[in-house]
């Protein structure tokens, strides 16, 4: 694994590049850009998947989102969906700059919100030739409608009113910026199982990392997130092959099945029995099944003769 940086406009991005053992750098190889979940960093699930994809022969990159982790951008702890989609495009730029990467054989694998971002990027960047989603989340729809998708979009209005009040306080009253957690630090009986497990992942020695502080800048993040729809126009603009992987017990499963149902491209749906949303972050039984599905999928579609139009 090599620590690398690459430009994204005026922001310097930080990533970890994984290459197969005994890589022949005189040849050009298929490559995968791995996109981390909201609140995550490259050293967590994204790095795990990138390392395992490298073991399968793919040059793989895990990177910190702009405004997060070791990447640049101020204010930090900003979750800007539009910036995160641009991050994916910048990561593809970087991969295409490598002499040993075939610029026509680049795919993406996104996890949780990173899956939604990678889908959105692929719809407007056909340099991405194939994509896999794992425990996919459409972050804007999820924030508006709740973890299970049972609320209406109008349920977002009270939160947006709170954003407006806080922004006024910061702009005219000198209030300090407010941060909210990505995952509940103290879950209760009403907390969805997946989010309880998310706290166990992010906030305990299981996977906690000093760069993943469970902090989301309230005013500037929420107003951007609530109007974002990662799957908007997916029926017409997503033309690349798509593999959707999710657990049968995940509360987020509805977002994976919605994506698969709406996409009109060549597509596969892999529902893993018994898996929850968070199981695919680091539980070997589930991560290995995701990799086992992604490896032949990418091998088939990231070929030297791949042509997505």
């Amino acid at each position: 694994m090599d620590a690398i940086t690459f430009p994204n406009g005026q922001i310097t991005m930080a990533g970890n590049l994984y290459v197969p053992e005994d890589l022949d750098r005189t040849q050009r190889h298929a490559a995968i850009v791995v996109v981390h979940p909201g609140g995550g960093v490259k050293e967590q699930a994204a790095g795990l998947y990138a390392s395992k994809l490298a073991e399968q022969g793919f040059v793989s990159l895990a990177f910190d989102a702009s405004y997060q982790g070791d990447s640049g951008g101020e204010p930090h702890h900003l979750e800007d969906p539009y910036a995160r989609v641009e991050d994916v495009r910048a990561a593809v730029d970087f991969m295409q700059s490598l002499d040993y990467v075939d610029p026509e054989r680049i795919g993406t694998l996104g996890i949780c919100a990173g899956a939604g971002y990678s889908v959105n990027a692929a719809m407007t960047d056909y340099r991405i030739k194939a994509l896999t989603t794992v425990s996919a989340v459409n972050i804007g729809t999820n924030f508006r409608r709740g973890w299970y998708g049972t609320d209406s979009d109008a349920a977002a209005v009270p939160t947006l009113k709170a954003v407006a009040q806080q922004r006024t306080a910061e702009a005219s009253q000198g209030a300090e910026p407010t941060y909210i957690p990505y995952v509940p630090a103290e879950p209760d009986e009403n907390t969805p199982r997946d989010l309880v497990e998310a706290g166990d992942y992010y906030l305990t020695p299981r996977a906690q990392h000093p760069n993943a502080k469970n902090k989301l800048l309230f005013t500037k993040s929420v107003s951007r997130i609530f109007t974002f729809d990662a799957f908007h126009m997916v029926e017409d603009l997503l033309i690349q092959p798509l593999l959707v992987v999710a657990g049968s017990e995940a509360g987020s499963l509805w977002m994976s099945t919605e994506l698969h149902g709406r996409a009109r491209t060549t597509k596969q749906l892999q529902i893993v029995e018994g898996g929850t949303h968070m199981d695919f972050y680091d539980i070997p039984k589930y991560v290995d099944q995701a990799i086992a599905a992604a490896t032949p999928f990418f091998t088939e579609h990231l070929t030297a003769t791949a042509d997505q139009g």
Side-chain angles (χ1 to χ4, degrees):
M1 183 271 289
D2 294 319
I4 56 90
T5 60
F6 59 93
N8 181 7
Q10 299 303 308
I11 294 174
T12 298
M13 306 290 289
N16 289 331
L17 186 67
Y18 299 80
V19 300
E21 289 188 15
D22 303 320
L23 180 74
D24 182 355
R25 294 175 185 257
T26 68
Q27 301 295 318
R28 292 188 175 241
H29 305 272
I32 313 292
V33 170
V34 182
V35 189
H36 70 66
V41 289
K42 64 185 179 301
E43 292 85 1
Q44 295 172 323
L48 177 61
Y49 274 82
S51 66
K52 287 186 172 293
L53 287 167
E55 291 172 0
Q56 299 302 318
F58 301 101
V59 178
S60 301
L61 172 67
F63 64 94
D64 287 332
S66 51
Y67 308 100
Q68 299 175 30
D70 289 321
S71 288
E74 293 295 335
H76 232 48
H77 308 297
L78 172 66
E79 182 78 19
D80 182 342
Y82 303 95
R84 289 210 55 186
V85 171
E86 188 60 29
D87 293 345
V88 180
R89 299 189 187 108
V92 174
D93 293 341
F94 169 75
M95 293 298 246
Q96 287 194 321
S97 76
L98 300 175
D99 291 339
Y100 51 86
V101 166
D102 186 337
E104 297 299 322
R105 298 169 64 199
I106 297 174
T108 62
L109 184 147
I111 308 158
C112 189
Y117 297 139
S118 64
V119 169
N120 198 263
M123 285 193 285
T124 55
D125 192 338
Y126 297 145
R127 297 176 302 166
I128 299 169
K129 300 302 183 182
L131 61 158
T132 293
T133 67
V134 179
S135 292
V137 163
N138 183 347
I139 192 171
T141 304
N142 174 230
F143 265 57
R144 293 190 304 272
R145 299 181 187 173
W147 187 249
Y148 297 114
T150 54
D151 295 335
S152 68
D153 286 332
V157 170
T159 302
L160 290 172
K161 288 182 176 180
V163 169
Q165 292 174 349
Q166 177 62 27
R167 188 150 187 156
T168 296
E170 292 177 16
S172 62
Q173 301 166 21
E176 291 295 318
T178 296
Y179 299 87
I180 60 175
Y182 279 93
V183 300
E186 297 181 0
D188 58 30
E189 65 276 6
N190 297 316
T191 304
R193 173 186 175 184
D194 294 308
L195 299 186
V196 174
E197 293 181 356
D200 182 66
Y201 178 84
Y202 283 112
L203 306 178
T204 74
R206 173 181 169 188
Q208 64 186 159
H209 190 276
N211 282 348
K213 298 182 183 296
N214 198 30
K215 290 175 63 175
L216 175 71
L217 187 61
F218 181 56
T219 55
K220 291 181 170 62
S221 298
V222 169
S223 58
R224 290 167 169 86
I225 291 171
F226 272 40
T227 57
F228 180 73
D229 181 357
F231 303 158
H232 180 55
M233 296 194 291
V234 72
E235 297 88 346
D236 297 314
L237 298 185
L238 186 68
I239 62 173
Q240 303 94 319
L242 169 69
L243 169 65
V244 178
V245 180
S248 66
E249 301 305 309
S252 60
L253 178 59
W254 61 277
M255 286 177 274
S256 288
T257 55
E258 177 188 343
L259 170 61
H260 180 264
R262 290 174 57 182
R264 295 173 179 166
T265 187
T266 301
K267 59 187 179 180
Q268 302 175 34
L269 176 63
Q270 179 94 13
I271 297 179
V272 179
E273 191 63 33
T276 65
H277 182 89
M278 297 303 302
D279 282 340
F280 290 89
Y281 282 46
D282 67 338
I283 303 300
K285 173 182 177 181
Y286 297 100
V287 173
D288 289 348
Q289 289 187 71
I291 294 295
T295 297
F297 171 80
F298 283 130
T299 299
E300 176 183 359
H301 295 294
L302 297 183
T303 65
T305 57
D307 181 11
Q308 304 305 329

